Amino acid sequence: MASKIIVRDYDDADWPRVWPIIEEVVRAGDTFPFPTDLTEEEARGIWLENGPGGRVTVALDGDRLLGTAKMGRNRPGPGAHVATASYMVTADARGLGVGRALVVDSLDWARESGFAAMQFNAVVATNTGAVMLYESLGFTVVGTVPRAHELPTGERVGLRIMHVDL
């Protein structure tokens, strides 16, 4: 079990430990709607580019990097008052509170940054651990896009859209 999870801002020196987490999650294809053949270069561009005022964080237990989050505006212009975020946790640290620490930190960041709400656009419906975590922190499912995510088995499952007012 993680002894003391610390969430801090990402530093470029973290990338060699962040990429393996992203790679592990996207290759599995069952919890995150990124291409399973995502390259490191593509991942770096997607994960680190979060628009004006965006942020990337890492979760650590001592020197061990256990997870990462990215956050920013959900949409530009008239939708810029709504934040969004994405989270990835290494498989061997799931269930230890790492995801919760990352989500709570991102909600605090969104409130402090003046966002009115946070919205997740594509939570894989079968990722029940994430759905339950988000709901425990006040998010509600506002819609589901049917059969929008194809699992490695070929089964197509819904993508949840989740929202919380801040």
Side-chain angles (χ1 to χ4, degrees):
M1 183 166 165
S3 57
K4 175 85 170 124
I5 299 164
I6 303 293
V7 177
R8 66 159 171 79
D9 286 335
Y10 166 89
D11 182 276
D12 282 336
D14 295 322
W15 183 254
R17 296 186 300 160
V18 168
W19 164 240
I21 295 171
I22 294 173
E23 184 177 31
E24 172 187 39
V25 170
V26 301
R27 297 285 184 263
D30 59 351
T31 61
F32 215 87
F34 280 5
T36 56
D37 62 351
L38 191 71
T39 68
E40 181 176 358
E41 183 180 338
E42 291 167 333
R44 187 178 181 107
I46 291 169
W47 202 253
L48 300 182
E49 177 48 51
N50 294 298
R55 180 175 179 231
V56 176
T57 59
V58 293
L60 300 127
D61 179 5
D63 290 334
R64 192 168 154 230
L65 198 143
L66 305 172
T68 182
K70 64 179 259 133
M71 59 210 81
R73 301 176 303 176
N74 190 47
R75 295 281 178 252
H81 62 285
V82 178
T84 192
S86 297
Y87 316 94
M88 293 193 187
V89 175
T90 188
D92 63 351
R94 292 185 192 139
L96 301 179
V98 177
R100 178 172 292 276
L102 288 165
V103 177
V104 167
D105 177 79
S106 69
L107 287 167
D108 290 346
W109 166 84
R111 284 185 189 96
E112 291 166 9
S113 298
F115 288 98
M118 185 174 278
Q119 176 180 317
F120 302 147
N121 302 311
V123 180
V124 178
T126 54
N127 189 358
T128 55
V131 172
M132 289 187 334
L133 169 60
Y134 304 152
E135 287 177 336
S136 78
L137 292 169
F139 285 84
T140 58
V141 175
V142 295
T144 301
V145 182
R147 298 170 306 283
H149 182 84
E150 189 169 58
L151 296 172
T153 61
E155 177 187 4
R156 291 182 179 160
V157 298
L159 286 178
R160 306 258 194 255
I161 302 164
M162 300 188 76
H163 178 271
V164 65
D165 280 320
L166 301 175

